Amino acid sequence: MTARATGGRARAHETRRAVRVIAWLAVAVLGIAVREAAAQSAALATGRIELSGGAAWLGSQAFGSADANETTSTGTAFRLFSTSSELGSAAAFDARVGVRVAGTLVVEADTSYARPELRITTSSDVESATGVTAVERLQQYTIGGGATWYVPTASRVAPFVAGGGGYLRQLHDRRLLVQTGRYYQFGGGAVYLLSSRSAGALKATGLRVDLRATIFKDGVALDGGTHATAAVAGSFLVRF
């Protein structure tokens, strides 16, 4: 056997040994990364019960316009004036109670309370009178349910998608008249964990931000239609 052949086999052996070492190091590093990611993801999913509450902002809803007509002697309609109506934007209180049912899927019950203004404006008066706006402040309640699914992540910031719907109740001034309807909402956001722990009843605290599209059906909508608006909410979250 020549020295060249012996040296070649030695180099091949050393190469295979180096490859095995690199492979084992790669497996070890990958294992550590997976464990760390799993630990952090577990922290995001820590706790079975989730409570959150805070402030929200609801966008306005335009209900369209209508004419106030008088029927003439010939049976035709004569317009006296026109009206347009809207439900103004408003601040709201928003709260949720959730139960984690599987992985990062949370089934929730939610409620909100707001005081939006119903505005009705007159225009195009036949006698050229100046338009006026009548304003009435409502009390608006919603109660319903839905689900939130957190995107698996190795970060303290957990994005999510959410959707649901429920019952809408709107009370006019002095609570003399009640309007009811339904609402549906979908959107997403993120939770930022402030703290997490495995021991004790309190498992985690955090901040939750929601961006939603909300659809209202019936209620005080003078046209009896369905209207969509945007909503944003920020809340403090705890998990048990």
Side-chain angles (χ1 to χ4, degrees):
M1 183 180 293
T2 65
R4 181 178 296 179
T6 303
R9 282 196 292 269
R11 285 193 296 271
H13 178 72
E14 291 297 327
T15 300
R16 288 194 295 270
R17 183 179 178 183
V19 168
R20 286 197 296 269
V21 171
I22 293 172
W24 280 110
L25 287 175
V27 169
V29 171
L30 180 61
I32 293 173
V34 169
R35 286 195 298 271
E36 289 298 320
Q40 293 184 45
S41 294
L44 292 175
T46 294
R48 184 171 177 81
I49 307 299
E50 183 173 295
L51 308 177
S52 62
W57 178 87
L58 304 175
S60 61
Q61 303 170 56
F63 298 149
S65 59
D67 293 333
N69 295 324
E70 180 182 54
T71 302
T72 67
S73 58
T74 60
T76 59
F78 177 73
R79 187 184 68 186
L80 298 176
F81 59 89
S82 297
T83 63
S84 60
S85 58
E86 71 167 0
L87 192 65
S89 59
F93 171 76
D94 186 86
R96 294 172 179 270
V97 179
V99 178
R100 185 163 56 88
V101 294
T104 56
L105 178 65
V106 178
V107 175
E108 298 174 323
D110 64 81
T111 185
S112 71
Y113 173 74
R115 295 290 308 275
E117 289 183 346
L118 176 62
R119 307 186 187 108
I120 301 176
T121 302
T122 63
S123 61
S124 304
D125 187 89
V126 68
E127 297 181 350
S128 300
T130 302
V132 297
T133 299
V135 178
E136 180 186 15
R137 187 171 292 278
L138 308 178
Q139 295 186 51
Q140 176 175 293
Y141 303 85
T142 65
I143 182 169
T148 293
W149 179 73
Y150 292 96
V151 178
T153 177
S155 169
R156 297 183 72 85
V157 179
F160 63 81
V161 292
Y167 173 73
L168 168 69
R169 182 180 179 88
Q170 294 166 317
L171 304 179
H172 289 260
D173 191 29
R174 300 180 183 177
R175 303 182 181 182
L176 299 179
L177 181 62
V178 177
Q179 304 280 159
T180 61
R182 300 182 301 278
Y183 75 95
Y184 309 93
Q185 58 186 6
F186 61 91
V191 165
Y192 175 74
L193 285 187
L194 299 173
S195 65
S196 63
R197 65 190 72 176
S198 57
L202 180 62
K203 301 298 185 183
T205 62
L207 301 176
R208 171 171 172 156
V209 176
D210 287 75
L211 299 175
R212 310 174 194 144
T214 305
I215 301 171
F216 292 97
K217 171 65 177 174
D218 297 328
V220 297
L222 301 182
D223 58 1
T226 300
H227 303 274
T229 188
V232 59
S235 56
F236 182 74
L237 175 145
V238 295
R239 289 179 180 153
F240 298 94

